[in-house]
Amino acid sequence: FYFNSTMGWGSTRWGGYTIKNLHIDGGGGSAITQGIGIFRTVRNITIENVTISNVASFGGCSGQSAYAYPKNITWRNNTLSYALGNGITTFGCDNVLIEGGTIDHAAYEASTNGNKGFYHAIYASGREENNGPARGVVIRNITITNTGYGVTDIAGASTKCATAVIVGHAEAEDWLFEGITIKQTVGTAIGGCYGISMTPANYDLKPEYFRRFTLRANTVINVGNVGMLLAACQPCTVENNVIVQEDNWEFNGIRIEQSGVPPVQDNQAVILRNNSVYQFGAAATGDSTGISLGGSGTNHVVVNNLVVFGAGTAGGKRCFGDLLAASAYSIWDNNACANHQGWTSSYASKAAFSAARSGHDTNGLDLASTAAAGLVAVPSSSNNWSMQIQTTSP
């Protein structure tokens, strides 16, 4: 399906269509560019209970400044599998809702394709033509599996993920990612495999930022390098997420960093709250870090987060990283970390950290062992990677 408006420099707006209960099969991907494409001034399109498989891209929306952008686009309860390139795209579109259903084997182009790193299960990007941000993108309650594995995987060969599962750039406001589950098979991710990566990246001398962006109650399993990566957040809230890494890997659970893309946009008032990170082991070299909130900005909050390291002791296991000056945080307290090899790279213990950092984590918990965290069970596929704690947990 192809929805496009080409009349009159944006004066024509049309839409109001629902596509539902269909199966679209591209027969292998390369012959069909998109399952459902939505362009320019099209409005009010709903794709519901649709199965799309074996295509170059499941579809999505995009526009351009001369014609404006699509808006009010809904993807609901669809079953999407095997896209050579991107899964769903939201390039510059307003009020996009992606909820329910599944995405499996997106970005499975062969590893020899030089563009493979630019393909993602969901490419949720804002605008970059200086005509205002993309507003109101919501992604929730969708399960995404087996991203970026390479074309040979369809025949059962072992391949690796080296791309971000969900990615976005440019100007964006009032976005919500909630209840998303991202699962990669243990042992199939390498350093370029990220869970959710929302950062400036275009290097076209136009500002890129994420304002009033919330990541809430998502679950990210076995991605390679970083569970959640954010930059240019003004502000962002990251709360109630669970991130589990079963590989022995140099890994960052949640990382807020400084954008290096000009014109540089700083972070501001980022909240990291009630997140849980479990890292089974650590890489033979380098450090693994539970949560990092650094780079730039003030009025940041780091509270009530739990970081647990498993029994592996091969490499450095740091609870927190990328520290700004103590004054950059309006509050940093009540965090817990178990079985670490440093509260940060500079402070071996919580006590040393609190003494040097204006009382940060005065009420935090420095737990000597994995078991001391008091989890009901080790997170695994059998308990859906739960990090529930016992009532007796400190």
Side-chain angles (χ1 to χ4, degrees):
F1 285 84
Y2 185 77
F3 295 94
N4 191 13
S5 176
T6 59
M7 301 293 290
W9 293 91
S11 62
T12 300
R13 291 169 170 81
W14 62 278
Y17 295 95
T18 297
I19 303 171
K20 64 189 303 182
N21 304 327
L22 296 179
H23 186 177
I24 301 169
D25 192 290
S30 59
I32 293 181
T33 302
Q34 295 195 65
I36 300 173
I38 303 163
F39 303 97
R40 295 178 174 155
T41 59
V42 176
R43 305 286 192 264
N44 306 314
I45 303 294
T46 298
I47 301 109
E48 187 172 19
N49 297 324
V50 169
T51 297
I52 303 175
S53 55
N54 300 310
V55 291
S57 169
F58 302 129
C61 60
S62 64
Q64 58 193 110
S65 56
Y67 289 92
Y69 293 80
K71 64 171 55 177
N72 305 330
I73 310 299
T74 297
W75 294 75
R76 180 181 291 122
N77 296 332
N78 301 295
T79 301
L80 311 174
S81 62
Y82 288 100
L84 281 168
N86 288 311
I88 299 176
T89 60
T90 74
F91 296 134
C93 306
D94 288 328
N95 303 325
V96 177
L97 172 62
I98 302 170
E99 67 173 355
T102 59
I103 295 176
D104 180 63
H105 280 88
Y108 81 92
E109 179 64 85
S111 59
T112 54
N113 186 322
N115 292 321
K116 183 175 177 62
F118 297 98
Y119 297 147
H120 314 279
I122 299 178
Y123 205 142
S125 208
R127 297 183 194 148
E128 54 178 316
E129 284 96 352
N130 291 335
N131 59 343
R135 295 184 171 91
V137 172
V138 176
I139 305 173
R140 65 187 179 204
N141 302 332
I142 187 170
T143 298
I144 304 173
T145 52
N146 303 318
T147 298
Y149 280 5
V151 70
T152 54
D153 183 73
I154 209 166
S158 177
T159 53
K160 302 289 186 179
C161 168
T163 189
V165 178
I166 299 178
V167 81
H169 317 298
E171 301 171 73
E173 289 186 352
D174 302 305
W175 287 22
L176 170 66
F177 292 1
E178 182 176 40
I180 302 165
T181 298
I182 295 172
K183 293 188 290 186
Q184 300 290 106
T185 302
V186 64
T188 60
I190 57 177
C193 185
Y194 289 41
I196 298 172
S197 177
M198 309 298 288
T199 65
N202 290 314
Y203 288 91
D204 53 10
L205 298 181
K206 297 170 184 175
E208 299 181 61
Y209 53 79
F210 299 91
R211 292 177 182 156
R212 298 178 300 278
F213 177 45
T214 299
L215 281 170
R216 177 188 299 139
N218 304 292
T219 302
V220 178
I221 309 299
N222 292 331
V223 296
N225 194 331
V226 183
M228 297 180 176
L229 175 67
L230 303 174
C233 283
Q234 308 167 345
C236 289
T237 299
V238 183
E239 62 183 1
N240 300 322
N241 301 288
V242 173
I243 299 172
V244 176
Q245 175 59 272
E246 294 178 291
D247 280 321
N248 289 338
W249 196 268
E250 184 177 350
F251 182 71
N252 291 267
I254 299 172
R255 181 178 175 86
I256 314 299
E257 68 180 16
Q258 179 64 25
S259 169
V261 179
V264 172
Q265 302 290 298
D266 290 338
N267 299 305
Q268 194 62 237
V270 177
I271 298 173
L272 295 180
R273 175 173 57 203
N274 302 339
N275 300 289
S276 301
V277 178
Y278 195 108
Q279 164 81 350
F280 274 71
T285 60
D287 292 342
S288 290
T289 303
I291 293 173
S292 297
L293 200 173
S296 62
T298 58
N299 296 317
H300 301 311
V301 171
V302 183
V303 294
N304 271 40
N305 300 288
L306 172 63
V307 177
V308 180
F309 290 101
T313 58
K317 298 185 292 187
R318 315 298 182 193
C319 306
F320 304 99
D322 293 347
L323 299 178
L324 297 165
S327 60
Y329 304 92
S330 60
I331 182 170
W332 183 311
D333 207 356
N334 294 97
N335 300 288
C337 185
N339 190 31
H340 62 80
Q341 293 171 316
W343 200 256
T344 72
S345 59
S346 301
Y347 304 102
S349 66
K350 183 202 77 73
F353 176 76
S354 297
R357 300 274 301 177
S358 303
H360 286 178
D361 266 332
T362 295
N363 300 297
L365 294 172
D366 193 338
L367 305 170
S369 68
T370 304
L375 297 182
V376 171
V378 174
S380 68
S381 58
S382 63
N383 59 21
N384 203 28
W385 292 277
S386 170
M387 288 189 67
Q388 180 184 358
I389 58 172
Q390 303 174 49
T391 57
T392 55
S393 170

